Amino acid sequence: MTVVKINQLSVPADRGADLEAKFAARRKSVDSEPGFEGFELLRPAEEGQPYFVVTRWADDASFDAWAAKRQPRAEGTTMSKAEGLLSFEVVDLDG
């Protein structure tokens, strides 16, 4: 069953363009991960609101395997702060 993971990112107002460039530069880096189905970066429509990163995975195990491989960033290099992870299952409305 497809699952959706949503990260909320607090980004300083003057760093939004940097965050978008960072995601654009590595947008294909997750494509080859087993179970990865796609992602979107959502820009806030109102100033001062968070960005959201929405990813789709074949299942929780695929997401967990990818998350376990991620290396922590060096202190001081993070331009955004993850506020939390929301998890959802996609409802199959056809049956």
Side-chain angles (χ1 to χ4, degrees):
M1 169 184 296
T2 295
V3 297
V4 174
K5 305 294 183 176
I6 302 173
N7 282 308
Q8 177 179 325
L9 303 176
S10 294
V11 181
D14 62 340
R15 300 298 303 268
D18 294 337
L19 177 77
E20 292 175 25
K22 176 179 151 183
F23 271 87
R26 64 177 201 190
R27 64 183 274 225
K28 298 288 185 184
S29 65
V30 180
D31 286 2
S32 62
E33 292 295 325
F36 178 74
E37 296 179 353
F39 88 95
E40 296 176 306
L41 176 64
L42 305 180
R43 177 190 304 129
E46 297 179 22
E47 190 173 322
Q49 297 298 311
Y51 276 77
F52 287 90
V53 180
V54 179
T55 59
R56 296 174 61 96
W57 297 87
D59 49 41
D60 281 320
S62 297
F63 173 78
D64 292 342
W66 170 78
K69 291 193 299 187
R70 294 180 62 203
Q71 294 183 349
R73 296 188 174 114
E75 187 173 333
T77 62
T78 303
M79 71 176 75
S80 60
K81 179 182 174 194
E83 298 295 327
L85 177 68
L86 302 173
S87 297
F88 300 89
E89 294 179 347
V90 176
V91 177
D92 180 3
L93 298 176
D94 290 328

